[in-house]
Amino acid sequence: MAILPIVKYPDPRLRLKSEAVEDFNDDLKSLAQDMSETMLDAPGAGLAAPQVGRNIRMIVIAGADNDEDFDDRCLVLVNPQITWSAGEQTYDEGCLSVTDLNEKVIRAQEIEVKAQDLDGKPFNLSADGRRAVILQHEIDHLDGVLFLDHISQLKRDIYKRKMKKMQKEDSDE
Ligand code: NI
């Protein structure tokens, strides 16, 4: 088990489309363990493999059950796909890869997801509310999409300028 470094925006690796997982081997299981530990340590409610520099289609989310009080159990989804969605909700999102930003994002209220577990066994999952938001956010990461892409151009530009300024200040020190 290990806490992995989190890849931060604007690292181009966050923009890659991740590859489907085909080998359900021990490396995959140990990566899932490390991702869970990294997420809980951060702490965060979800983490996608590209956020730890691995461009494969795997995410972990906090809480094994679909309820509001997340515990420290984690659910691993390999090759997740949203198969159905309905409704709309607005939720204040942040991301472990996007420092110092929380913004409201509009997403589906309810979703159904199909995925595989760490042994490659398929399963389906229904989610609504916050859990549906987290799943949509993490699955987006697998296609190189960040929650930043769902906010207004103006807010995005303000954030980009702020990040450039912070990077410049860091390099001036
Ligand atoms: Ni994120």
Side-chain angles (χ1 to χ4, degrees):
M1 300 262 278
I3 298 201
L4 306 171
I6 294 176
V7 175
K8 303 278 186 174
Y9 176 87
D11 192 308
R13 287 175 293 172
L14 292 171
R15 291 311 199 173
L16 300 174
K17 190 169 166 65
S18 290
E19 310 234 330
V21 173
E22 282 165 12
D23 286 337
F24 294 82
N25 53 25
D26 287 347
D27 282 351
L28 188 75
K29 291 181 176 79
S30 100
L31 177 63
Q33 280 283 339
D34 289 347
M35 281 172 58
S36 300
E37 200 181 343
T38 303
M39 174 187 70
L40 295 171
D41 177 72
L47 190 70
Q51 292 183 274
V52 292
R54 295 284 300 272
N55 287 97
I56 59 168
R57 304 188 79 85
M58 178 162 74
I59 63 172
V60 297
I61 60 171
D65 303 314
N66 195 6
D67 65 46
E68 286 296 308
D69 297 320
F70 292 163
D71 50 33
D72 60 0
R73 290 174 299 166
C74 297
L75 186 65
V76 179
L77 293 93
V78 182
N79 299 326
Q81 275 181 282
I82 295 170
T83 53
W84 175 87
S85 66
E88 207 174 87
Q89 62 177 323
T90 305
Y91 203 92
D92 219 8
E93 293 187 30
C95 178
L96 295 176
S97 294
V98 181
T99 311
D100 291 336
L101 187 73
N102 283 280
E103 286 291 346
K104 290 190 174 11
V105 175
I106 301 169
R107 298 203 189 257
Q109 168 67 33
E110 282 178 85
I111 58 169
E112 278 171 19
V113 176
K114 71 169 184 185
Q116 286 164 280
D117 68 13
L118 285 168
D119 295 314
K121 192 171 159 252
F123 66 97
N124 295 300
L125 184 72
S126 307
D128 63 9
R130 181 180 172 213
R131 196 170 173 87
V133 168
I134 295 164
L135 283 163
Q136 290 171 83
H137 176 121
E138 300 311 331
I139 292 170
D140 264 0
H141 273 297
L142 305 180
D143 292 315
V145 176
L146 300 174
F147 84 101
L148 278 177
D149 303 324
H150 294 290
I151 67 176
S152 74
Q153 180 79 46
L154 178 67
K155 284 180 178 165
R156 194 157 56 236
D157 288 345
I158 292 170
Y159 180 70
K160 282 183 186 165
R161 275 202 298 276
K162 187 176 143 192
M163 290 309 285
K164 279 210 183 95
K165 196 166 160 248
M166 276 169 59
Q167 282 171 339
K168 189 173 176 295
E169 281 166 6
D170 284 348
S171 61
D172 286 348
E173 272 166 14

